[in-house]
Amino acid sequence: MPDGAWRYRAAAHPLIEPIRAFNDNYIWLIRSPDGAHAVVVDPGDAGPVIQRLEQQRLSLTAILLTHHHADHVGGVQALRKWGRPTVYGPAGEDIDGIDEALLDGDRIDVAGLPMSLRVIDVPGHTRGHIAYAGDGYGGDARPLLFCGDTLFAAGCGRLFEGTPAQMLGSLDRLAALPPDTLVYCAHEYTLSNLRFAAAADPETPDVAERLAEAQRLREADIETVPSSIDIERRTNPFLRSREASVRRHLPADLVPADTDDPAFFAAVRRWKDNFR
Ligand code: ZN
Ligand code: FE
């Protein structure tokens, strides 16, 4: 099927492509329009990145980091030896090799690319996690978002360091981006996320349809990402924890005594943590 034939998977921007790493990580590679340079996002492993750069004869001008976990930063030191990248990363996390430590609201002109990004603080998965939002690329005006392990296709990151209220606030900020923003997340967790979504939000037809489509994509060994903010708003139970259709289906033992939004969000997250 051609790229545009999928309903819950968007065609990536020109010049942006995934590099697969480990079991299910995506390291996003962004090429410069002149075909000379590239930038990678969250290179947990240098091996497959160097292989791709050598294959395509690209120099590495920058690395964008979202958070400190090894599957996102593990390749930084080797890539610094291989090339001369400017390394951007969160000011709020302890990561070796960062050249430009970024705070919420910062804007960067990414070294080597005609790309400007703004930094959004998205604590929850880790305390200092950041995301990068931009206005389009490669002649394609759709906005874009590199969100690491905060927002996934039909899911969100586990709460390792942050509180449910923080993560809900982070996801709210991302959900408020323009609906046509493409979501470039860092893992292929979509199928298991949608199996959970089908239990958590069974009355929403888009969820069942997205699950069926994701099964076809994965059987064909095609990435289910990028998605879009619009797709996530319609099908991601972690962006929908305020919806009656989600709250209604919480298992009785998880229904919170508090009825505030973070309590319901926490209950949905806890349910997913134990979902098989
Ligand atoms: Zn992580
Ligand atoms: Fe990760």
Side-chain angles (χ1 to χ4, degrees):
M1 239 199 264
D3 231 17
W6 305 101
R7 287 180 59 207
Y8 302 94
R9 169 201 198 269
H13 288 80
L15 309 175
I16 301 184
E17 64 196 54
I19 297 171
R20 297 184 184 194
F22 307 117
N23 272 337
D24 50 32
N25 280 71
Y26 290 129
I27 300 167
W28 291 101
L29 177 102
I30 311 158
R31 283 179 290 137
S32 63
D34 64 3
H37 315 296
V39 168
V40 290
V41 184
D42 283 353
D45 189 358
V49 173
I50 291 172
Q51 196 187 339
R52 184 76 58 94
L53 295 171
E54 287 182 343
Q55 250 169 26
Q56 302 192 359
R57 298 176 183 283
L58 295 161
S59 73
L60 182 67
T61 53
I63 293 174
L64 300 167
L65 302 175
T66 63
H67 69 293
H68 69 82
H69 285 158
D71 63 312
H72 298 254
V73 305
V76 169
Q77 296 307 335
L79 288 169
R80 283 175 70 97
K81 289 198 188 95
W82 184 86
R84 289 278 174 278
T86 300
V87 181
Y88 304 92
E93 303 210 332
D94 193 15
I95 302 171
D96 277 350
I98 289 186
D99 301 302
E100 292 210 28
L102 302 173
L103 296 165
D104 186 60
D106 281 350
R107 281 182 167 278
I108 55 171
D109 292 315
V110 182
L113 297 184
M115 177 184 264
S116 159
L117 296 172
R118 58 184 196 283
V119 175
I120 307 176
D121 260 343
V122 285
H125 178 66
T126 62
R127 224 182 317 276
H129 199 305
I130 59 174
Y132 299 88
D135 288 333
Y137 190 65
D140 181 339
R142 291 172 301 169
L144 50 81
L145 174 71
F146 297 105
C147 50
D149 286 357
T150 297
L151 176 63
F152 292 128
C156 76
R158 285 179 187 262
L159 303 184
F160 287 122
E161 298 174 12
T163 65
Q166 281 177 323
M167 188 59 143
L168 180 60
S170 297
L171 293 174
D172 284 345
R173 290 188 75 182
L174 300 184
L177 293 169
D180 60 341
T181 302
L182 294 203
V183 176
Y184 293 94
C185 64
H187 287 274
E188 179 63 59
Y189 289 160
T190 314
L191 257 188
S192 73
N193 287 341
L194 282 166
R195 290 193 185 106
F196 171 71
D201 197 359
E203 295 158 50
T204 298
D206 271 324
V207 170
E209 285 163 30
R210 190 180 186 187
L211 172 58
E213 183 176 284
Q215 279 163 335
R216 292 200 300 279
L217 283 162
R218 297 310 295 150
E219 275 161 21
D221 197 31
I222 300 172
E223 297 86 7
T224 61
V225 292
S227 70
S228 69
I229 290 295
D230 173 58
I231 293 168
E232 296 313 318
R233 290 181 60 114
R234 286 187 285 131
T235 57
N236 187 320
F238 298 98
L239 300 188
R240 297 173 57 78
S241 64
R242 294 180 181 89
E243 301 288 331
S245 65
V246 171
R247 293 190 174 187
R248 226 186 341 263
H249 294 281
L250 273 178
D253 60 320
L254 289 177
V255 173
D258 276 340
T259 55
D260 63 342
D261 290 341
F264 272 100
F265 173 79
V268 176
R269 185 59 258 180
R270 205 170 315 122
W271 186 10
K272 172 71 165 70
D273 288 342
N274 301 305
F275 189 80
R276 293 286 174 273

